[in-house]
Amino acid sequence: MGRKLLYLLIVGLFVSYYIYTPLPDNIEEPWKLTLISTSMKAFLHLASFAEFLGLRHFADLMMLTVAIEEVPPTSDENVTVTETKFDNVPVRVYVPKRKLDAQRRAVFFIHGGGWCSGSAALPNYDLLSRWTAERLDAVVISTNYRLAPKYHFPIQFEDVYNALRWFLRKTVLENYGVDPERICVSGDSAGGNLAAAVTQQLLGDPEVKTKVKIQALIYPALQPLDLHLPSYQENSHMPILSKSIMVRLWSEYFTTDRALEKAMLSNQHVPEESSHLFKSVNWSSLLPERFRKGHVYTNPTYGSSELSQKYPGFLDVRAAPLLADDNRLRGLPLTYVLTCQYDVLRDDGLMYVTRLRNAGVQVTHNHVEDGFHGAASFLQLKISHRTMNQYISWLKKNL
């Protein structure tokens, strides 16, 4: 009996240690977040172990869970949902059923998932698209794109850009009854990265006559050059998205070569000949004072040129929209940026807000003080409904 009790105590201590996640005091519904975090952590550990054994790639296992969770394109009493392809890219289309004499506004949405996971058919994205279509009386295009590890940059960017260009054609807009002057491009996390990148790309595309009115970026990933920002330091072990996971996702976007991940983890992956790029991501001048407090900026430690020659994508503005020069930024449309205090990607969004405003772009910045990465995605949490209501309400007023 004593031995069984000892074993039970050891198991209990192990489970408690595994489940325990220190959270900031102002996090709402901490136990719900802890349970979500624990299930995700368990899956990531299993995926890493399977990869270590050579069974499956880490990202392949992530995609298996996505396939299990996907929901079919089901219409309801308010919204008609269909699936089609725009220039061979699969998209899900949401059209309100209520009759409207005038043309509708439109939202072109790009899901997140670290460029190697996610789908427009996941329940959270499906529900967000329904809410957006119904509350804005808008056509919503929720696009998919090919994913790592099978496909690397620039495939994800090109898929999204080609689908967007197709949608912006006059005949397509007319077919869906969309007002060409009321179009928004939006996305969250990696989708926010792609939304920012394709919106920039449109500026220099003479073949696209229709320009977007708004870009709306939800905790976007905007640069992989400096992965030692204050937000990475402060939130390196936060639930949902730790620094190590974010670095892995960035590296997988470009290659399955783990050498890039290793260099990124030590923040020594940018060669000296690319040192001029750091001025675009220099947090000591771009972050508001409250986010710099307690941190000292140090000059970058440069890496060898070998990685950047093999995988030049991580220095490409299409993968890192924060690298765009001021002339490129000046032409961007009205912008909404949502950042979360407890998110490794917080400072990417904050720096983009500063750079856009310095370039004369009108920006609405919504900083969620009790937010974390994915705060808008977990439908079982109150914070998700709050942040999505804020996002949709802003679009309703401005689009």
Side-chain angles (χ1 to χ4, degrees), residues 70-73 81-85 90-93 119-121 144 176:
E70 287 182 338
V71 296
V81 184
T82 58
E83 289 183 332
T84 186
K85 290 185 178 181
V91 300
R92 186 170 283 201
V93 182
S119 164
N144 284 305
Y176 287 106

Side-chain angles (χ1 to χ4, degrees), residues 99-262:
K99 293 183 179 180
L100 191 68
D101 294 333
Q103 291 178 308
R104 286 189 163 94
R105 44 195 160 189
V107 176
F108 185 93
F109 188 84
I110 310 157
H111 71 77
W115 306 280
C116 66
S117 182
S119 164
L122 283 174
N124 58 319
Y125 292 122
D126 180 69
L127 185 57
L128 173 59
S129 295
R130 290 174 189 275
W131 284 352
T132 305
E134 183 180 352
R135 290 180 55 183
L136 297 187
D137 201 12
V139 174
V140 176
I141 308 297
S142 187
T143 188
N144 284 305
Y145 47 92
R146 286 171 289 178
L147 301 167
K150 187 175 182 180
Y151 302 99
H152 298 291
F153 174 85
I155 294 298
Q156 290 86 338
F157 168 86
E158 290 174 347
D159 280 358
V160 173
Y161 191 63
N162 289 338
L164 177 59
R165 276 171 48 104
W166 183 271
F167 177 60
L168 294 178
R169 294 167 59 186
K170 183 179 178 181
T171 54
V172 177
L173 295 177
E174 289 177 349
N175 181 51
Y176 287 106
V178 171
D179 184 342
E181 296 183 357
R182 303 179 74 188
I183 298 172
C184 167
V185 175
S186 182
D188 72 314
S189 194
N193 166 282
L194 292 165
V198 297
T199 303
Q200 288 185 10
Q201 190 76 4
L202 284 176
L203 297 176
D205 192 333
E207 296 183 7
V208 180
K209 305 305 179 183
T210 303
K211 305 302 179 183
V212 301
K213 181 180 181 180
I214 287 173
Q215 62 171 341
L217 314 176
I218 302 170
Y219 33 74
L222 297 171
Q223 61 84 33
L225 272 75
D226 188 352
L227 300 174
H228 197 59
L229 302 172
S231 59
Y232 274 91
Q233 297 177 51
E234 295 170 12
N235 303 302
S236 61
H237 299 292
M238 269 297 290
I240 312 303
L241 186 67
S242 65
K243 175 180 178 177
S244 60
I245 293 298
M246 188 63 231
V247 170
R248 178 72 191 269
L249 295 174
W250 266 122
S251 66
E252 289 289 342
Y253 189 23
F254 306 111
T255 176
T256 53
D257 182 354
R258 301 295 293 274
L260 179 60
E261 178 193 0
K262 183 178 179 181

Side-chain angles (χ1 to χ4, degrees), residues 24 219-247 250 267 281-284 286-297 322 338-352 365 367-368 371-373:
Y219 33 74
L222 297 171
Q223 61 84 33
L225 272 75
D226 188 352
L227 300 174
H228 197 59
L229 302 172
S231 59
Y232 274 91
Q233 297 177 51
E234 295 170 12
N235 303 302
S236 61
H237 299 292
M238 269 297 290
I240 312 303
L241 186 67
S242 65
K243 175 180 178 177
S244 60
I245 293 298
M246 188 63 231
V247 170
W250 266 122
N267 215 36
V281 298
N282 186 330
W283 62 262
S284 67
L286 294 173
L287 287 182
E289 183 178 355
R290 62 167 285 207
F291 298 102
R292 301 195 309 265
K293 191 174 181 180
H295 298 276
V296 177
Y297 184 81
L322 252 175
L338 185 147
T339 56
C340 293
Q341 180 65 21
Y342 306 114
D343 181 6
V344 292
L345 297 179
R346 178 194 71 199
D347 294 349
D348 282 21
L350 292 173
M351 291 192 293
Y352 204 43
H365 177 212
H367 184 67
V368 185
F372 48 89
H373 194 82

